[in-house]
Amino acid sequence: MKFKFITAIALCAMAFISCDEDTANIGTSLTSNNDKLTVTTRSFDVLTKSVAVDSVFSRERQGYFGKVKDPETNAYVKSEFTTQFNMMENTTIYLPKREEMPKDENGNVVADSCIVQILFDIRNSYGDTLAPMKLRVSELDKPINNELMHYTNFDPKERGYIRQGGLQYDKIFSMRDLSVSDSIRNLREINLHRNTSTTSDNSYYDMLNISFDKPYTDKEGETYNNFGTFILRKFYEHPEYFRNSYSFVNHVFPGLHFETVDGTGVMTRIMEMDMFIFFKNKIEDQEFDDFFLMTSTEEVVQTTKVTNDKEAINRLVADNSCTYLKTPAGIFTEVTLPVDEISTSHPTDSLLSAKVVFQRQNNQTEASALSFSVPDKLMLIEKDSLDSFFKSKKLFNNLYAYQVTLDKNAYTFPNISNLITRMYQAKKDGIKRDPNWVANHPNWNKALLVPVEVISIKSSSSTIYGTSTSETPIATENKLGLTSTRLVKGSAENPIKLEVIYGKFKD
């Protein structure tokens, strides 16, 4: 019962501190003389520094490609995207019987055409929507190892995963297609304004269509009139290869690689990517256009490769006037926490709360439409837990991972006491096993500030007051979009202050 009581007192004490009230009599004012709680407040020094990030672990929900110049460094940032395509279970029920399919003069199944359609997430993209870019689409030679592919420094070209002599198309595009009338485009804008998510026919999405209409030669040397014909014939020759996505990727088609090879100024986020294979279908002598659909989804392997200018990144890391947060896969801020000082200065007291604020500094470059956005959500995480956290698709737990949203130009973590207690206990337990534990674990008291994206699912429910919508977070991922900000640096001369509250019942 006392533990619950201490927690309640801590919340009240934090409220007093946030209002800058005198805390000398908090223990007396909040408890009775029979069960008095003595509350003590102290501040400790926190040190920070910028650390370069070679790569981050990425999941399948974020896909980017493009190339832009960072206005802060005048260096280029480039993203490439690689994906497999999801094969629906029981594909046989979605395609006609072979005898019903159109055929060429030799009796072989043929497709009319094949296109890949990319829907752009304009709101989460960067740059001039009318800027011309040249995209290169290349066929993979083999399936990519699932573990390797989840890091943003993985290069399919260097590793020999691009098929030589395979499918390859170059396409000039801009994110916004001016050939689409304003009346059609406005339907989409209305849906965005209403916060509706729909793929119905009355919605418009900025998109890119890439036609795979040239003759295609497979690895066995057989040539087809287009790529869609290759897929359909493989289906009727080996339907077992289409049983699921794994079989399809390993026996038919490993996937595609997308890279901008010319143009700068655009980094586009992929909202959806589909492959359509069109063919003629016939029911009771009535012929009509039909299609077979495959989709790039999070159920299959997807990844974004990020290329940063290392010299430019290292110049910012060496800047001692501040620390940086820069994505994708650029710079994190390392935080050294005064764990020993906090834990040993009041050894008989309970650590009730530990509050730390990381204040933003305005960027040195003049704000413009080309400035990278400021990270909205930030996670403070134990440094040695970073990789396993993202691999396990976890959410922040207020134990060793904390998440906050930018508020009043600062990132405020109201209570990281669990992290400090965890670090101190890990050190005590470690030294019992190994006297050199601290030397062997140099990150034992260090955490990282990491820009993140929280993945949520939306749900709606009807009440007597109308329809309400709620979001439930399901995963936290490294931010792969373009963001940048500067933070006040915690140095030995001017440390960041961590405000601590201790509590102790009288004997």
Side-chain angles (χ1 to χ4, degrees), residues 348-419:
T348 61
D349 293 359
S350 297
L351 178 60
L352 301 184
S353 74
K355 176 183 177 181
V356 61
V357 179
F358 299 98
Q359 192 72 38
R360 279 193 64 241
Q361 291 183 359
N362 292 328
N363 292 340
Q364 292 177 324
T365 54
E366 184 178 351
S368 70
L370 295 179
S371 299
F372 291 177
S373 62
V374 175
D376 178 44
K377 291 183 171 56
L378 206 63
M379 186 169 67
L380 176 70
I381 183 168
E382 188 176 56
K383 187 172 183 178
D384 285 343
S385 297
L386 180 71
D387 198 50
S388 61
F389 177 89
F390 289 107
K391 280 185 176 180
S392 303
K393 301 183 181 181
K394 293 182 178 179
L395 290 166
F396 67 95
N397 52 23
N398 291 334
L399 179 62
Y400 59 85
Y402 300 77
Q403 180 190 299
V404 297
T405 300
L406 179 66
D407 184 39
K408 297 178 181 178
N409 216 36
Y411 301 97
T412 301
F413 293 86
N415 189 1
I416 61 169
S417 58
N418 285 337
L419 175 61

Side-chain angles (χ1 to χ4, degrees), residues 14 20 28 65 67 87 110 155 162 192 199 215 222 239 248 279 281 288 337 343-344 357 364 404 410:
M14 289 168 64
D20 295 324
T28 303
F65 60 77
K67 183 178 180 181
M87 179 56 52
V110 291
D155 191 337
I162 304 301
L192 289 175
T199 56
E222 185 171 352
F248 178 74
F279 57 91
N281 200 348
F288 60 94
L337 295 168
S343 302
T344 59
V357 179
Q364 292 177 324
V404 297

Side-chain angles (χ1 to χ4, degrees), residues 425-435 437:
Q425 190 62 46
K427 177 188 174 184
K428 286 177 58 179
D429 295 342
I431 291 176
K432 290 179 183 178
R433 301 188 303 269
D434 176 12
W437 186 88

Side-chain angles (χ1 to χ4, degrees), residues 117-121 205-207 269-272 274:
Q117 186 176 83
I118 303 171
L119 274 61
F120 298 132
D121 185 352
Y205 295 85
D206 292 287
M207 66 182 69
R269 178 162 179 169
I270 301 167
M271 179 166 62
E272 185 177 327
D274 303 303

Side-chain angles (χ1 to χ4, degrees), residues 195-240:
N195 293 319
T196 59
S197 177
T198 175
T199 56
S200 62
D201 291 339
N202 64 347
S203 296
Y204 173 76
Y205 295 85
D206 292 287
M207 66 182 69
L208 168 64
N209 290 322
I210 307 169
S211 297
F212 292 172
D213 52 3
K214 294 186 299 187
Y216 171 77
T217 302
D218 66 14
K219 294 180 180 180
E220 284 72 39
E222 185 171 352
T223 300
Y224 307 81
N225 67 319
N226 60 52
F227 184 72
T229 294
F230 162 74
I231 295 293
L232 291 182
R233 287 190 193 174
K234 284 296 180 183
F235 170 77
Y236 290 107
E237 291 170 6
H238 295 282
E240 69 275 12

